[in-house]
Amino acid sequence: MTACQLRYQTIEFDNIDIHLRTLKDRNQFDDPNGKAQALGISSAQWPLFGVIWDSSQILAHEMEHYCIENKKILEVGCGMALSSMLLKKRNANITATDYHPEVEAFLQENIKLNQSGHIPFLRTNWKDTQDNLGCFDLIIGSDLLYEKEHINLLSAFIHRHANPHCEVVIVDPGRGNHAAFSRKMKQLNYSFTPYLPKSAYPLSHAFKGKILHFLHQD
């Protein structure tokens, strides 16, 4: 990561502060061994994992007071894993996943910064049906539906890792694929409730997306 400029920042919540080492901005790139390229991650896509997005902040604020007692939780496409870091501070049973080859190294550094304890991480592709992740009671993620193909891939991935009773919370900034994704989740027997984030979230501008809540009960 020597070719990248980094930034240290603190995200403040009501009772918890999360300290993060991130990329300085979305102009950074460092893939000397071609690991990301081999995974199909272009130079334009490469830095997207390493900055804090509005959607990730909204998800973390949702998780700040979310009922997590006795729940096994999975964060999908975690990027800087802000929600995972916050949930770990709340002593949650949290596992983080992402496809980008640099995410785990940043996660380990941020665990040290926050002295938060180990967070299990798996680099996995949503297409991988043999990832051995297991099943979860709460699955969360933010800004995941970039492409139309993600509708089927993400819904299938979530369903493979959902316990018979499972909640799913996805923050979507309004990219255009959330309606088709919600219909797909309904086909998999998930009830669906969309709602707007609280206006008190400290974002730089108004958030135009929604929080998508799904519930599966067998």
Side-chain angles (χ1 to χ4, degrees), residues 22-53:
T22 70
L23 296 178
K24 181 182 178 182
D25 51 40
R26 283 177 277 171
N27 296 317
Q28 306 305 313
F29 178 72
D30 184 25
D31 188 29
N33 299 316
K35 290 182 180 179
Q37 184 179 17
L39 295 171
I41 300 172
S42 69
S43 58
Q45 295 169 323
W46 189 93
L48 300 183
F49 82 96
V51 296
I52 300 298
W53 298 86

Side-chain angles (χ1 to χ4, degrees), residues 1 21 23 49 80 102-110:
M1 299 302 301
R21 186 190 77 162
L23 296 178
F49 82 96
M80 286 291 94
E102 298 294 341
V103 167
E104 185 172 17
F106 273 82
L107 177 62
Q108 296 308 319
E109 286 299 318
N110 287 327

Side-chain angles (χ1 to χ4, degrees), residues 19 49 99 110 119 129 132 141 159 178 203-204 208:
H19 311 293
F49 82 96
Y99 188 51
N110 287 327
I119 297 175
T129 60
N132 297 316
H159 195 54
H178 63 89
L203 301 180
S204 58
K208 298 180 180 180

Side-chain angles (χ1 to χ4, degrees), residues 45-64:
Q45 295 169 323
W46 189 93
L48 300 183
F49 82 96
V51 296
I52 300 298
W53 298 86
D54 287 351
S55 295
S56 66
Q57 292 192 63
I58 287 173
L59 179 63
H61 279 281
E62 281 294 301
M63 292 299 108
E64 184 179 10

Side-chain angles (χ1 to χ4, degrees), residues 128-189:
D128 185 1
T129 60
Q130 306 294 326
D131 56 31
N132 297 316
L133 266 174
C135 293
F136 297 82
D137 308 300
L138 173 61
I139 299 175
I140 64 173
S142 61
D143 203 357
L144 302 175
L145 298 164
Y146 281 86
E147 308 290 344
K148 285 187 177 180
E149 66 173 339
H150 295 163
I151 294 167
N152 289 328
L153 287 174
L154 179 59
S155 57
F157 178 86
I158 288 172
H159 195 54
R160 283 198 303 274
H161 297 294
N163 275 325
H165 180 97
C166 181
E167 292 179 84
V168 181
V169 178
I170 304 291
V171 177
D172 184 83
R175 290 191 180 275
N177 294 314
H178 63 89
F181 174 76
S182 299
R183 288 194 296 270
K184 187 66 178 180
M185 293 293 284
K186 284 184 177 180
Q187 292 173 9
L188 294 171
N189 200 30

